[in-house]
Amino acid sequence: REIFRNGGIAILNALTNCLRFGDVTFIDPERYSLIEVKGGRARTQRDFRQQREKARIEEYLSQDHVCGLFGLDLELRRKELHYEEIYHHAELNNLIADANTIGTSCKKIEEGLFYLVETAHSLETQLHQAVSQCAEPPLVYFLNTLKKVSCGWYPFTLSIRDPKNLYRFYVGDLLISVIVDLSVIRRFFEKERISVQFFDQNGMTAMHLVSQDPNHHLALQIGEHFFGRVMAEFLSLNWFLHEVLAK
């Protein structure tokens, strides 16, 4: 109430699926703050751990880099985007409309990127046809499994425009998969003399890039959260590759 009286905004983090540090997020035109609300004076080890985690995320947001966030022994860096995002929401919603009529709809959206929308699984037909067009085993993302994932991605409630279709997606009557041909990603970076390895054991890195040019010492790791935007937000794969190259 005090925050509201002074013209600020207070968000109860427990009511969101993306604000995961602190109990209240305070925002006004000049600043923001993460607030932990505790009763009594005694402090437990959990309280101290929460304070350390809050301090790390605040350092990351203010300095654009931090070590030890999410319990990882890594330095994380945040970079601004170089290009405006390109989404394929129109293509997605057209495929949904087609699937509602004929049961299954699959389309090659761009080189290395396929969307499959079904009202029932059809492994032997459309999915098999999409996979067979890939030069190596692709990544197949069944997006229905991401319905309750709180990663702060652009929400399905905005990507799927028809409320009836959105409801059918959430109850499992509409199935959406995104297929990514890894060979397209590999060839893109090979042209730039950059080798790429996919997914490591820590569960946070989707791509590890290393320059093969002795005059250009590049070693870059792309997190699963950023790479996941291509699937979860229906972003352009070509946009993603050029954005990574610009970094």
Side-chain angles (χ1 to χ4, degrees), residues 55-101:
R56 288 193 185 100
I57 194 67
E58 288 176 330
E59 179 183 350
Y60 178 65
L61 294 175
S62 62
Q63 304 296 324
D64 291 332
H65 64 86
V66 69
C67 293
L69 189 62
F70 308 128
L72 299 172
D73 187 23
L74 297 170
E75 180 184 13
L76 301 182
R77 289 186 173 271
R78 183 172 62 160
K79 298 286 188 179
E80 64 180 336
L81 296 179
H82 296 80
Y83 308 111
E84 184 176 355
E85 292 104 323
I86 298 174
Y87 293 93
H88 290 307
H89 294 155
E91 291 87 343
L92 168 69
N93 285 278
N94 288 338
L95 288 172
I96 291 174
D98 291 342
N100 285 335
T101 301

Side-chain angles (χ1 to χ4, degrees), residues 137-150:
L139 295 176
V140 179
Y141 284 80
F142 183 46
L143 296 190
N144 293 65
T145 63
L146 301 180
K147 292 182 293 189
K148 297 182 180 180
V149 173
S150 56

Side-chain angles (χ1 to χ4, degrees), residues 90-116:
E91 291 87 343
L92 168 69
N93 285 278
N94 288 338
L95 288 172
I96 291 174
D98 291 342
N100 285 335
T101 301
I102 61 178
T104 302
S105 185
C106 184
K107 182 179 180 182
K108 180 179 180 180
I109 304 299
E110 58 183 59
E111 189 67 24
L113 183 67
F114 302 81
Y115 290 173
L116 171 64

Side-chain angles (χ1 to χ4, degrees), residues 10-28:
I11 302 173
L12 294 176
N13 295 350
L15 300 181
T16 78
N17 65 357
C18 57
L19 298 176
R20 304 171 66 181
F21 294 86
D23 298 308
V24 177
T25 298
F26 158 66
I27 305 171
D28 71 10

Side-chain angles (χ1 to χ4, degrees), residues 193 211-217:
R193 300 183 67 186
S211 175
Q212 303 303 303
D213 184 348
N215 299 316
H216 185 201
H217 301 289

Side-chain angles (χ1 to χ4, degrees), residues 76-77 153 199-200 202-208 220-229 231 240 244:
L76 301 182
R77 289 186 173 271
W153 284 317
F199 301 101
D200 64 7
N202 65 25
M204 293 290 291
T205 302
M207 297 166 52
H208 183 67
L220 180 65
Q221 296 184 40
I222 304 299
E224 283 196 32
H225 182 272
F226 185 51
F227 182 56
R229 292 189 62 196
M231 286 62 68
F240 169 80
V244 169

